[in-house]
Amino acid sequence: MKHEALTPDRLREAYQHVWFVVARSEDIGTPQPAQLLDHKLVVFRDASGAARVTDRRCIHRGGNLADGVVDGANIACPYHGWQFDGGTGQCRHIPSLAEGGRIPPKAAIKSYPVIERFAHVWTCLGDPVFDLPNPPEIEDLELEWRAAEPIHADCGFMAATENFRDMAHFPFVHEHSMGEVDPVVGDLDVKREGREVWASYFYGKVPDSDFSDIGDAWMNYHSYAPGIATILYDFGELGKRYLVDFPSPVSYDKCIIFWGVATDKDFRGGSVDEILRIETKVFNEDTPILGGLDPKEVPLAGQAFEASAPADIYTLNYRRATQHAVQTIQETRGLIEVAETENGRVHA
């Protein structure tokens, strides 16, 4: 894939067609501001209980709808009280109009599709190319969820996604939370199909470590490029716990890391709140490292030279999966011209 198709501007264009998290479900009882790909949004729950996402700016005189209130199906601007339907964006009420007055037909804000899953609110700025996944490895589990406190990170969302599934940084970044982890990363069996990547990593018990002192575990990684990463921990007889990571691009080089934990009903390695406390400690150790990255986002267009080692095989497959996802979006939505080669394959 040519670098020209992977520049920051082209990526931003493509990612308008990807589902991203914009809020935790538990936070939208009152309107919440959000920013996705430099686009200012408001997220709220209407009186029927439906989660809504619309543009944040009132098209009357620029009021901030995140400072407004919910009235039935509408969100009301704090400036002049104009009300907009959260599902359609249409203006439904203008207080200054006399009874029977005509609402201007162009009085509307943009509304966006919404899915609530994994205790978070997801939206897409354009027409989504991929469905929001239901990972098959958890279909038969009865999970109790906790959505973690979102983390504002001074890096791009792809860099944050790579950090989540990188095993080689454990002994250096997570010495306090994980203990004395062997720095040698053994051979990894990594599989990729399209935008999905899988790997399994045996994580041996580290005594006196909050993270793993309950016993050995298999860490089963599953990623959906460009920005969904999960780990299913299998502790054998002690049961399973789940960790999810959904970094969301505020802009090209800044993101909010939305994440959460869950425990299966048969898990005997601690309560879901205890697991959240342990994983919070791990995430907080990552944050300063992410803020020091140079460049702040994965250089898919070759903006910086990077060397790799065998332990980076998952990272390299994630990048290939991301390139596949981006090219699929660009071709599907007509964002690039597609040339056909002699053997029928396409390239940008």
Side-chain angles (χ1 to χ4, degrees), residues 241-307:
R241 75 186 201 217
Y242 198 49
L243 178 63
V244 293
D245 185 66
F246 315 122
S248 184
V250 172
S251 58
Y252 176 73
D253 57 3
K254 292 186 185 300
C255 71
I256 298 177
I257 302 173
F258 293 96
W259 64 284
V261 300
T263 55
D264 187 34
K265 64 180 180 61
D266 298 323
F267 183 67
R268 294 186 290 112
S271 70
V272 66
D273 291 310
E274 290 171 335
I275 301 306
L276 178 60
R277 176 186 62 80
I278 292 168
E279 294 287 6
T280 297
K281 186 176 181 180
V282 175
F283 271 78
N284 287 341
E285 291 168 344
D286 282 316
T287 305
I289 296 295
L290 292 174
L293 296 180
D294 181 18
K296 291 186 176 296
E297 183 56 297
V298 176
L300 289 181
Q303 300 97 318
F305 171 76
E306 293 182 333

Side-chain angles (χ1 to χ4, degrees), residues 124-148:
C124 182
L125 297 179
D127 298 321
V129 170
F130 305 108
D131 292 335
L132 185 61
N134 279 304
E137 59 269 22
I138 62 172
E139 283 183 355
D140 298 328
L141 301 182
E142 294 184 26
L143 296 174
E144 181 181 1
W145 283 94
R146 291 291 184 275

Side-chain angles (χ1 to χ4, degrees), residues 57-247:
R57 178 182 177 271
C58 175
I59 47 78
H60 173 223
R61 290 297 181 269
N64 182 357
L65 294 176
D67 292 332
V69 296
V70 175
D71 186 349
N74 305 331
I75 186 164
C77 178
Y79 196 2
H80 298 94
W82 286 36
Q83 293 189 15
F84 301 89
D85 185 294
T88 66
Q90 289 295 318
C91 181
R92 299 302 187 195
H93 179 58
I94 298 177
S96 62
L97 275 179
E99 185 176 352
R102 178 174 177 268
I103 295 176
K106 291 184 179 181
I109 58 176
K110 189 169 183 181
S111 63
Y112 300 91
V114 175
I115 295 176
E116 284 196 80
R117 191 169 297 169
F118 313 117
H120 287 82
V121 180
W122 302 70
T123 197
C124 182
L125 297 179
D127 298 321
V129 170
F130 305 108
D131 292 335
L132 185 61
N134 279 304
E137 59 269 22
I138 62 172
E139 283 183 355
D140 298 328
L141 301 182
E142 294 184 26
L143 296 174
E144 181 181 1
W145 283 94
R146 291 291 184 275
E149 186 72 28
I151 299 170
H152 292 256
D154 190 20
C155 69
F157 85 97
M158 292 181 290
T161 305
E162 288 193 354
N163 165 259
F164 179 81
R165 346 102 17 292
D166 181 297
M167 302 90 167
H169 79 289
F170 291 168
F172 308 101
V173 178
H174 301 302
E175 180 181 3
H176 293 294
S177 61
M178 293 187 173
E180 296 184 8
V181 179
D182 187 347
V184 176
V185 177
D187 292 340
L188 293 172
D189 182 16
V190 177
K191 174 187 174 184
R192 181 178 77 84
E193 290 184 5
R195 74 182 188 117
E196 296 184 58
V197 189
W198 298 262
S200 292
Y201 177 70
F202 181 75
Y203 192 96
K205 173 181 177 178
V206 179
D208 301 320
S209 163
D210 280 350
F211 187 79
S212 65
D213 61 359
I214 65 171
D216 300 340
W218 279 98
M219 299 172 70
N220 299 301
Y221 290 79
H222 187 185
S223 299
Y224 297 83
I228 299 175
T230 72
I231 306 174
L232 180 62
Y233 295 84
D234 188 344
F235 288 89
E237 294 181 353
L238 292 178
K240 298 175 180 178
R241 75 186 201 217
Y242 198 49
L243 178 63
V244 293
D245 185 66
F246 315 122

